[in-house]
Amino acid sequence: MLEIRLLGSLEARDGDRDLTPRRLKQRALLATLALRVGEPTSADRLVEHLWGEEAPKSAKHALENYVSELRKALGGETIATRPAGYVLDIDREAVDVVRFERLVAELPDTDPAARAKRLREALVLVRGPPLADLAFEPFALTEAPRLQELELHAREALADAELELGNPADALLLLEPLVAAHPFRERLRAQQMVALYRSGRQADALAAYQDARRVLVEELGIDPGPELQDLERAILRQDEHLRPPPLPPGLSVPSAAHETPRPARKTVTVVVVELANSGALAERLDPEPLRAVLDRYLAAARMAVDRHRGVCGRLAGNAVVAAFGVPAAHEDDALRAVRAATELREAVGVLNDGLLPEHGVFLEVTTALSTGEALVGTAAEDPATGRAVAVAERLGRAAQPGQIVLGEDTYRLVRDVVMAEPVATDHDPGFRLVDVLPDAHGRTLRLDSPLVGRRRQLSTLASVFESTVSDGPCHLLTVFGAAGIGKSRLVREFLDDLGDVPLVLHGHCPPYGEGITYRPLVEAFREVGVDLERPAPTPQGVRRALEALALERPVVVSLDDLQWADPALLDLVESIVETSRTTPVLLICAARSELLEQRPSWSSGKPNATSLLLEPLTEAESERLLDNLLGESDLPDPVRDYIVSSADGSPLFVEELLATLVDRDLLRLEAGRWTTTEVSTIPLPPTIRALIASRIDRLPDDERTVLEVASIEGKVFELATVVGLAPAPVGADADLHVAALVGKEIIRPPAGGDELSFRHQAIRDAVYGSMPMQRRADLHDRLAARLEGASGDEELVRYHRAHAERYRSELGISSSPNRV
């Protein structure tokens, strides 16, 4: 079904087919008709929209040609001729602007959670500035500002809903880029001040008022309005009315992700974008149009970064510095950064299409990315401090206009999903980005190595499939397991064994993005020519589609990474299973245990649902996997043992540890055999660091504090250590926090005795490494004092004292403040 998208550059799509017209006036005509979908528009009005008041004499003849060409491209009946004029004759909901306007107009008054959900559903339709590629067409001069105002109104309403829900941090994430883009809009300033105040940042809220006052006085010559002035006075006296309103009865707020309010060390990907010809622009343009051009460029940069969940730091006239992995890490931060950089380059191209004919100038932009450890959480204007920023800046200076250059560590993280080629630089290895592979999700699975173990799990899958086919009811089978444990590989192996017996549909749940709510099912059904997009999928519609497909042979729907699914999709899947009674359909979902944190009852106690927990590989199975990957080799036993023990049964960890040896030239293929130099330790692969960091960053503060204290003692630790070293409120409930971490598969329960342990050494190392050196030093000193008081091992006391002194020495502090 034809879909027209106007909230961004114009797009016309029919499923996977891109039908977007290439000629500017054809695009303008289609956009004009889409804005009035279902309503006839006269030829005279269309001529005015396309050419303005001074249309050429041949305009009507040209219009007829454009209509004819559009009909050929889109389908003969798409544009109809009526007595009153031409009309785009498609479903109104097939135009994104119509859907956006409907969602924003139908907001519930009393339920802020429902209001926020509907607003997010509307805002995911926004791909960029509305009518971005048509900004200088006559009709767009009025339509684009109207749509921009509508979008801004929706974002303000979402900020209000977040504030009502008691989520000031989420509101700030929305408001900060909006205030920067609309500095004179007092409503945004007021929302920002309230969000800062409710975040416990009274001084910052007052500073925000002073900044608003300065901008209004210096730029417009006016004082802030009564609302802002009254709000400042209310903040000064800590007015009770500034507290968040109580939630409606029965409404609860889901817990937000951990946002690292204190300084921490993280692996981040930094993006540095430079406007290389800013000096030439200043020479050619008057200051006022120059300011407008720069504002549009910076707004496009912030929008690209925000859309991929990065954080913008410095926004100067010619440079943008952004970080991905702040405030919370994601396992695909490097890929998100690459996508944001690519999107910004495309947005600059759209800007240049208008700037060149209008002003005779265009923007020359260089972009560079670098990944590395950084200190975060110290200043809003600098989201990350460390070598990664310096490397990105150096690579940017070596880049040519229009190029995106990846640092070596960034390239290692995304090399499976991008095309890139080495580029000459003065200092740091760099790779010029050529393309990002479509539908890339991150790391490519190794499917050439035989599956190890899992015979019992394959047998369970086969048994469930056979009973579903023979007995008829739709069945839900969920494979749970930790990241990298082999869930996707197990499902793929099972489906390959089935061959052509069932019809298999595949869907993948992305971790973020626009319009992702039902995308996994839409993509799955699109493989067999079934369009679920219009109208939005419903349980009845999906069930009927499955029943129709299952008339010929059984159907298997495979949904991967269900822990990232939108709640609406989870509701839909459960409803399909509950309402389908005779259809031989098997839904196989692969999910991490995080799914049970948001849906504890998922597949629990339901007659037509089965759960399968994928346990780690045994040491013998890990050895066999290592042999399968290496083939014939003389890998020394200490290295082999280190890999097996460090991987702790995770196939992904085995593969990535091996890949790190190869990347660092410690493992070489010579004359058909793998050989290695002497290796004492293997650095933790960046892919595994990112995976663990994203899991840790989603934990509540108290649980994270428990892990930090425990990591000081080592992989193995005692509950008494946590109780003794953690802050009093956390230590008092340490047993409860540890139990929660055991349930989340981060800590292993004690196997007799009092000792606990991290599930992986890599988890302990990641937690320990995330703490600033000062905090590590303090905790080592406190643990040493605790051991001394208990007449503990003197060598262990010296070990902790030495670590504390080393960290303080690196910080330039000569001695421990806890020692005489």
Side-chain angles (χ1 to χ4, degrees), residues 29 51 59-69 71 86:
L29 172 59
W51 285 278
K60 283 195 175 181
H61 179 67
L63 174 64
E64 293 172 357
N65 288 336
Y66 293 148
V67 171
S68 176
E69 291 168 358
R71 283 171 172 162
Y86 296 107

Side-chain angles (χ1 to χ4, degrees), residues 225-299:
E227 179 187 4
L228 280 185
Q229 294 184 31
D230 291 345
L231 181 56
E232 183 204 24
R233 288 190 287 270
I235 291 173
L236 286 169
R237 64 175 182 267
Q238 299 184 357
D239 197 304
E240 290 290 326
H241 295 297
L242 290 178
R243 292 186 177 182
L247 294 175
L251 180 64
S252 61
V253 182
S255 59
H258 180 79
E259 296 200 355
T260 318
R262 58 191 175 196
R265 301 171 73 100
K266 285 176 174 287
T267 297
V268 301
T269 297
V270 175
V271 181
V272 175
V273 185
E274 292 275 358
L275 190 55
N277 64 333
S278 59
L281 291 173
E283 291 289 337
R284 293 287 303 275
L285 293 178
D286 180 84
E288 291 186 34
L290 175 63
R291 182 70 265 165
V293 168
L294 293 178
D295 284 347
R296 292 178 65 187
Y297 154 65
L298 294 175

Side-chain angles (χ1 to χ4, degrees), residues 713 721 782-793 796-797 800:
E713 192 166 6
T721 301
R782 291 177 59 199
L783 182 54
R786 177 180 172 82
L787 292 171
E788 282 179 331
S791 301
D793 187 329
L796 196 56
V797 171
H800 288 293

Side-chain angles (χ1 to χ4, degrees), residues 28-87:
L29 172 59
L30 179 57
T32 300
L33 293 173
L35 287 167
R36 295 157 183 80
V37 59
E39 301 174 8
T41 305
S42 69
D44 290 339
R45 179 61 63 86
L46 287 174
V47 167
E48 181 182 346
H49 287 330
L50 298 184
W51 285 278
E53 296 180 358
E54 299 181 0
K57 293 181 179 179
S58 60
K60 283 195 175 181
H61 179 67
L63 174 64
E64 293 172 357
N65 288 336
Y66 293 148
V67 171
S68 176
E69 291 168 358
L70 279 179
R71 283 171 172 162
K72 292 177 183 177
L74 305 178
E77 299 180 356
T78 301
I79 300 178
T81 303
R82 301 279 190 265
Y86 296 107
V87 60

